[in-house]
Amino acid sequence: MAQERAIITVVGKDTVGIIATVCTYLADNNINILDISQTIVQGYFNMMMIVDISAIQKAFGDIQNELTKLGEEKIGVQIKTQKEAIFDAMHRL
């Protein structure tokens, strides 16, 4: 099966457990992390992940909604999830 990739961005005030919470959700939903970059600048957390969504069992829209809700309700951050092709198209000059 061809790899299908998505971009996940996480932004917000730094708190304990952000990475653990997001990574646990991804593992529970058969989403493999291919690349990850994370920084903290003056107390603000910023993470970008490239993930493989080829093995998900749910609709991609459900994954997007659940990650958004997880960020807002459980860890107080903003999580955005986009398929790689859409992300690329939006950021092309």
Side-chain angles (χ1 to χ4, degrees):
M1 181 195 303
Q3 195 175 75
E4 189 175 0
R5 299 178 355 159
I7 311 299
I8 298 173
T9 56
V10 182
V11 178
K13 275 229 106 3
D14 187 36
T15 58
V16 173
I18 295 172
I19 296 172
T21 302
V22 174
C23 290
T24 298
Y25 175 87
L26 298 179
D28 289 347
N29 286 278
N30 299 315
I31 299 170
N32 187 40
I33 299 167
L34 302 172
D35 200 358
I36 183 171
S37 170
Q38 172 255 311
T39 57
I40 299 169
V41 178
Q42 295 185 3
Y44 288 93
F45 179 89
N46 187 7
M47 179 168 66
M48 181 174 169
M49 307 168 105
I50 300 172
V51 298
D52 178 1
I53 57 171
S54 304
I56 61 174
Q57 303 295 310
K58 299 176 181 177
F60 181 72
D62 291 342
I63 298 286
Q64 285 178 303
N65 292 337
E66 289 173 7
L67 279 167
T68 298
K69 188 174 177 180
L70 179 76
E72 291 171 354
E73 295 180 3
K74 187 163 185 186
I75 46 180
V77 296
Q78 183 180 59
I79 302 177
K80 296 210 177 289
T81 310
Q82 295 175 290
K83 289 192 177 180
E84 184 180 43
I86 302 294
F87 185 89
D88 288 347
M90 287 178 55
H91 294 88
R92 192 171 294 132
L93 293 176

